[in-house]
Amino acid sequence: MRLTTKSRYGTRLILDIAVHGKEKPVPLSDVSSRQNISLKYLEQLTVKLKKAGILKSHRGPFGGHMLSKSPADITIGDVVRILEESTAITDCAEEEKQVCGVCNRAGECLSRWIWVEASRAMFDRLDKITISGLLAIENKEFKKK
């Protein structure tokens, strides 16, 4: 699986809202300007993140978006699962069944185990990286300068 702009931009969106949305909702137009991501694309990502319970919206002239969970409770694994259509690094690793049925080696392919394990390992690591953890790294870097 190659992480798409959905995951990368979605992570930037959430980080921006975490930084700028502590006191008040953050308009997507502000995120778009700061992150140099199109407003239309951010709107698409926001729909999925709201539906999953990561973001909440406020309407009106002072409206925008805020995190609906603590940054400590949002992992990058969560973001990737919500925004990507697949969470496996290959098509054959997507299926839970022993025989995937994706390629002409289905049922006798020893290498499939590699891709299943690699997908698990990636998400094990991504599930340990929280938004608050990333913000703590950023704060350390700025203090060094």
Side-chain angles (χ1 to χ4, degrees), residues 72-91:
D73 295 330
I74 302 170
T75 71
I76 302 306
D78 295 332
V79 175
V80 173
R81 281 184 191 91
I82 292 164
L83 296 176
E84 297 293 340
E85 276 112 42
S86 172
T87 58
I89 63 172
T90 63
D91 292 340

Side-chain angles (χ1 to χ4, degrees), residues 120-145:
R120 284 188 190 136
M122 180 179 76
F123 276 97
D124 285 348
R125 183 65 185 120
L126 292 176
D127 287 338
K128 291 178 179 146
I129 304 169
T130 64
I131 296 300
S132 62
L134 288 172
L135 294 175
I137 292 169
E138 179 187 47
N139 287 336
K140 282 182 191 176
E141 292 299 316
F142 283 127
K143 288 179 182 176
K144 286 181 185 177
K145 293 178 181 178

Side-chain angles (χ1 to χ4, degrees), residues 46-126:
T46 302
V47 168
K48 290 182 178 185
L49 292 166
K50 282 178 13 183
K51 187 176 178 183
I54 301 289
L55 295 179
K56 59 185 173 184
S57 298
H58 298 274
R59 293 181 181 258
F62 301 105
H65 300 278
M66 296 180 83
L67 299 180
S68 60
K69 294 180 171 184
S70 163
D73 295 330
I74 302 170
T75 71
I76 302 306
D78 295 332
V79 175
V80 173
R81 281 184 191 91
I82 292 164
L83 296 176
E84 297 293 340
E85 276 112 42
S86 172
T87 58
I89 63 172
T90 63
D91 292 340
C92 67
E94 189 74 38
E95 295 292 322
E96 290 294 322
K97 297 177 264 177
Q98 188 70 18
V99 178
C100 71
V102 173
C103 74
N104 62 0
R105 301 277 302 175
E108 55 187 56
C109 180
L110 183 57
S111 68
R112 180 175 179 266
W113 176 85
I114 299 165
W115 314 128
V116 170
E117 287 302 307
S119 296
R120 284 188 190 136
M122 180 179 76
F123 276 97
D124 285 348
R125 183 65 185 120
L126 292 176

